[in-house]
């Protein structure tokens, strides 16, 4: 059963009641006949005016139950019967006494007034019934919406419900990433919107107003498109069509569909929220995994490495061949340790867990600490240290700076072709201080000065060997976390030069303590 | 430097949850003549401490049952010198341990030689605190002499005049030879409470000391070593 038939919202409410009306009219005629018979039996004792009152019964019945016209018909029939059977001259339609005319007029008047009152009452009852039906329908629809958790399911359900309730064909279209309408579902099924449909749907989506026959704006399409409202404009458009009728929707159907679409809009907002919550949960899960990875690397990887490296350092070679083997094992284990340290720092950077506690740092001391840490690895290459003693202090996190310098020097040792490393410091062109690590390796390929700091970057076409590309990425990440800038360049006389630039704002004037 | 027998009768308690690391440390320390006991958890460590009264504990802070920083004060209060084993990136943890009374720290992965050096230093420091022998009136590195009794610093036999704060800084480190003293500890002792974060004072004083005592050294070879974010150490092996 469609809504049109169930709830009197359709245009011809009496259509189904034809049989009822005929029976009613029959009953009315019978009542008039009954009143006449009763009148005839009363005629001997009563007076004529009392008999006239008998006709009020069929008139009121017809007026209240059957409406205005049957009511008037009952009035007319009653008047005629009364006139014919009772008013002298009896058995004619002539009226001798004018006072009897008044009785006839009153009968007609009662029919008129009674039927109008009854009609109003009936209309109100019908409206209340229709409203209750709409409420029940909306509540049912809202209930079914509650169970929907995905967008596509929402659109499918909306199309199905609208088709069922209004007895129409349905299209549902949503904006794509560019805001262009795109068909998501249709009943009966269709693949895509044709040109006219797409234009009307697009207009509806863009304007937020209904478009098409019976809508706020007429269009060339025979579909009526209505927006699914959202806080930021329409979320979708729903098209309804009915090839068997001149208009897809009639009378109260349009506001009802509007209510349904408003509910669908709310449901979509809820689904969007749930999707965002789900996405947030996934992000949190990813963060949790990263933290777990961090502690796993920190403990499970470092603990055995500590034993391996400690053992290698404790071993004393018994022959020249063992000396070489042991040195190589040690340097590789140390490299692995630096790699693990870099991996941990990279995860920290990625999850934003890098702590900064800046303090006044003497760059000369920072260089010495980093060189000490790398002593065995860099002593072979030889380090030239050109850091002036009177360099201003800089505000930096000592741990992060230490890690940056270790990575830069380690990078120079590995890519510098085993020749001299130079650590130099001084004023830079921006009025700040720079600390640079230079090598004699193949240098940085032209145009790769930025990319060389990317994660896992191993420059192609260059013979820079080894490494994972993590070290320089961490240098950049840490430097930026401290407010420093890092640059890569080539030395005029060959080799690469990586520099940390301290901006003037982070330079601390050397104060003389009391 | 780490020949057998150097440990004498000193007892060392190894506190680390990893048996392989304990085995390596036991090997290193017992070879050097120390009496070694082991604990794999904080609870075991406290029981071992009570049972054996070790002179020194090598304490890993990541224990399975409790944070190593929690039992550290108990060990220190019982007269045990504590050397902390800690990861390189755990700067804050090291400072916290030193502030709680740890004698020193060794960064993992460690060099067995470094472990022995730190253990020796920490045991000497403990002996000094107990008032026993080990306090030296005159400390020497390279051609520098620090005469704590006379409050004099000599280089190549000639007296060098240090500013009062420079001398106080150097004397504080000389009183803890080879041992790291945190920035905050130095600042509190020399400049007084309230100056714990004025690290730049230390930087300036350190520069003054190096300029006056070490100008003839190759760059990067200063005996006055800074541990980034932690403190200073007077490295007497330098020179």
């Amino acid at each position: 059963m469609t809504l049109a038939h169930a709830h009197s919202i359709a245009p011809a409410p009496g259509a189904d009641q034809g049989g009822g009306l005929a029976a009613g009219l029959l009953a009315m005629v019978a009542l008039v006949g009954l009143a006449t018979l009763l009148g005839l039996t009363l005629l001997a004792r009563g007076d004529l005016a009392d008999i006239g009152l008998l006709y009020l019964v069929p008139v009121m019945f017809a007026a209240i139950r059957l409406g205005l016209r049957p009511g008037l018909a009952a009035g007319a029939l009653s008047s005629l019967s009364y006139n014919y059977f009772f008013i002298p001259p009896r058995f004619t339609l002539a009226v001798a006494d004018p006072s009897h005319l008044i009785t006839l007029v009153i009968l007609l008047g009662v029919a008129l007034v009674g039927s109008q009152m009854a009609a109003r009452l009936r209309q109100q009852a019908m409206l209340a019934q229709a409203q209750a039906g709409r409420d029940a329908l909306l509540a049912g629809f809202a209930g079914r919406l509650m169970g929907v958790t995905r967008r596509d399911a929402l659109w499918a359900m909306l199309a199905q419900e609208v088709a069922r309730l209004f007895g129409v064909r349905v299209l549902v279209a949503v904006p794509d990433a560019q805001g262009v309408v795109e068909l998501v579902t249709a009943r009966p099924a269709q693949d895509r919107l044709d040109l006219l449909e797409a234009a009307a749907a697009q207009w509806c989506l863009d304007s937020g107003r209904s478009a098409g026959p019976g809508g706020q704006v007429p269009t060339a399409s025979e579909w009526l498109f209505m927006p699914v409202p959202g806080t930021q404009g329409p979320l979708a458009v729903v098209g309804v069509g009915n090839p068997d009728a001149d208009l897809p929707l009639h009378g109260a159907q349009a506001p009802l569909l509007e209510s349904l679409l408003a509910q669908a809009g709310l449901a979509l907002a809820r689904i969007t929220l749930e999707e965002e919550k789900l996405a947030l949960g996934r992000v949190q899960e990813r963060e949790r995994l990263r933290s777990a990875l961090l502690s796993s690397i920190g403990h499970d990887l470092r603990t055995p490495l500590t034993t391996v490296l400690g053992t290698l350092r404790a071993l004393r070679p018994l022959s020249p061949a063992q000396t070489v083997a042991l040195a190589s094992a040690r340097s590789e284990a140390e490299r692995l340790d630096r790699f693990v340290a870099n991996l941990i720092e990279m995860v920290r950077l990625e999850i934003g867990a890098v702590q900064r506690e800046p303090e006044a740092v003497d760059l000369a001391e920072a260089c010495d600490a980093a060189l000490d840490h790398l002593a065995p690895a860099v002593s072979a290459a030889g380090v030239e240290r050109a850091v002036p003693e009177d360099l201003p202090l800089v505000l930096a996190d000592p741990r992060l700076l230490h890690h940056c310098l270790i990575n830069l020097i380690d990078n120079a040792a590995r890519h510098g072709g085993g020749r001299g490393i130079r650590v130099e410091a001084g004023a830079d062109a921006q009025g700040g201080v720079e600390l640079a690590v230079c090598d004699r390796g193949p240098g940085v390929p032209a145009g790769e000065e930025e990319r060389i700091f990317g994660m896992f970057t191993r420059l192609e076409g260059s013979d820079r060997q080894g490494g994972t590309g993590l070290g320089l990425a961490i240098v950049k990440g840490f430097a930026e976390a401290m407010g420093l800038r890092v640059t890569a360049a080539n030395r005029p006389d060959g080799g690469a030069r990586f520099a940390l630039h301290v901006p003037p704002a982070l330079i601390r004037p050397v104060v003389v303590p009391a | 430097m780490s020949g057998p027998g150097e440990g004498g009768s000193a007892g060392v308690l190894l506190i680390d949850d990893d048996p392989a690391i304990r085995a390596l440390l036991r090997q290193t320390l017992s070879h050097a003549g120390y009496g070694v006991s082991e604990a794999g958890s904080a609870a075991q460590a406290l029981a071992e401490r009570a049972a054996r009264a070790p002179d020194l504990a090598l304490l890993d802070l990541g224990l399975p049952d409790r944070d190593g920083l929690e039992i550290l004060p108990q060990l220190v209060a019982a007269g045990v010198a504590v050397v902390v084993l800690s990861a390189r990136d755990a700067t804050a943890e090291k400072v916290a341990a030193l502030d709680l009374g740890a004698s020193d720290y060794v960064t993992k992965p460690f060099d067995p030689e470094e472990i022995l050096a730190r253990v020796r230093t920490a045991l000497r420091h403990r002996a000094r605190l107990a008032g026993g022998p080990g306090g030296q009136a005159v400390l020497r590195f390279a051609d520098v002499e620090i005469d704590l009794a006379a409050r004099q610093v000599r280089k190549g036999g000639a007296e060098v005049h240090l500013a009062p704060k420079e001398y106080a800084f150097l004397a504080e480190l000389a009183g803890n030879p080879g041992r790291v003293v945190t920035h905050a500890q130095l600042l509190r002792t020399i400049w007084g409470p309230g100056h714990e974060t004025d690290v730049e004072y230390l930087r300036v004083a350190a520069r003054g000391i190096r300029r006056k005592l070490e100008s003839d050294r190759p760059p990067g070879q200063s005996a006055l070593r800074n541990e980034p974010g932690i403190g200073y150490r007077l490295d007497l092996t330098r020179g």
Side-chain angles (χ1 to χ4, degrees), chain A residues 411-428:
Chain A
N411 180 68
R414 279 191 289 113
H415 300 302
R419 285 180 290 154
I421 300 168
R422 180 182 161 87
V423 182
E424 57 187 24
D428 73 0

Side-chain angles (χ1 to χ4, degrees), chain A residues 378-440:
Chain A
V378 297
S379 57
V383 179
E384 185 189 352
R385 186 182 168 288
V387 183
E389 298 296 319
D390 57 352
L391 215 56
L393 301 177
V394 302
L395 210 55
D397 179 281
R399 188 184 77 81
L400 300 188
L401 183 64
H402 187 56
H403 212 100
C404 281
L405 291 175
I406 285 175
N407 278 349
L408 286 179
I409 297 167
D410 183 45
N411 180 68
R414 279 191 289 113
H415 300 302
R419 285 180 290 154
I421 300 168
R422 180 182 161 87
V423 182
E424 57 187 24
D428 73 0
Q430 285 80 40
V433 172
E434 68 167 5
L435 181 64
V437 178
C438 313
D439 63 42
R440 286 291 180 199

Side-chain angles (χ1 to χ4, degrees), chain B:
Chain B
M1 276 182 74
S2 58
E6 80 163 51
S9 59
V12 176
L13 172 58
L14 306 177
I15 311 170
D16 194 312
D17 63 332
D18 190 74
I21 289 178
R22 287 207 306 272
L24 173 66
L25 288 169
R26 170 186 278 281
Q27 174 68 26
T28 304
L29 289 162
S30 54
H31 183 69
Y34 294 98
V36 180
S37 53
E38 298 179 22
S41 68
Q44 260 183 42
L46 293 176
E48 281 290 316
R49 209 289 311 153
R52 309 217 183 194
D55 302 286
L56 182 140
L58 278 175
L59 172 64
D60 183 283
L61 295 178
L63 294 175
D65 51 345
R66 281 167 75 185
D67 190 334
L69 286 177
E70 282 181 38
I71 62 165
L72 200 155
Q74 282 170 268
L75 295 170
V76 171
V80 181
V82 177
V83 174
V84 165
L85 300 172
S86 174
R88 164 146 60 98
D89 46 8
T91 306
E93 188 181 82
K94 289 170 186 165
V95 172
L98 292 168
D99 282 344
L100 285 171
S103 185
D104 214 325
Y105 66 87
V106 180
T107 296
K108 279 183 171 183
F110 45 78
D111 187 332
E113 285 295 335
E114 193 191 358
I115 291 272
L116 290 175
R118 295 279 176 272
V119 166
R120 275 195 299 275
T121 302
L123 285 173
R124 253 188 251 122
H125 178 63
R126 176 169 175 269
R128 266 197 308 281
L129 288 180
Q136 288 166 279
V138 179
L139 211 82
R140 292 184 180 81
F141 61 94
D143 59 345
V144 175
E145 286 177 337
I146 305 168
D147 188 337
L148 292 172
R151 300 179 62 83
Q152 245 190 21
V153 179
R154 291 182 289 274
K155 180 177 170 62
E159 188 182 344
V160 176
H161 187 74
L162 294 180
K165 296 296 186 194
E166 288 170 358
Y167 176 78
F169 185 0
L170 190 61
E172 185 64 24
L173 293 180
N176 294 279
R179 200 182 143 247
V180 72
V181 184
T182 66
H183 292 143
Q185 284 167 356
L186 287 167
L187 286 161
R188 199 181 308 120
T189 311
I190 301 166
W191 277 273
H195 289 284
E196 283 90 345
T197 57
D198 295 333
V199 182
E200 59 264 37
Y201 292 180
L202 294 175
R203 307 285 182 236
V204 174
R207 279 184 178 186
I209 294 168
R210 289 196 193 102
R211 195 176 60 244
K212 289 167 186 171
L213 297 180
E214 301 185 328
S215 54
D216 54 344
R217 284 195 179 214
Q221 290 301 307
S222 172
L224 187 57
R225 291 175 60 178
N226 182 244
E227 308 278 350
I230 297 171
Y232 282 89
R233 186 195 297 279
L234 191 60
D235 187 348
L236 300 179
T237 65
R238 287 267 170 105

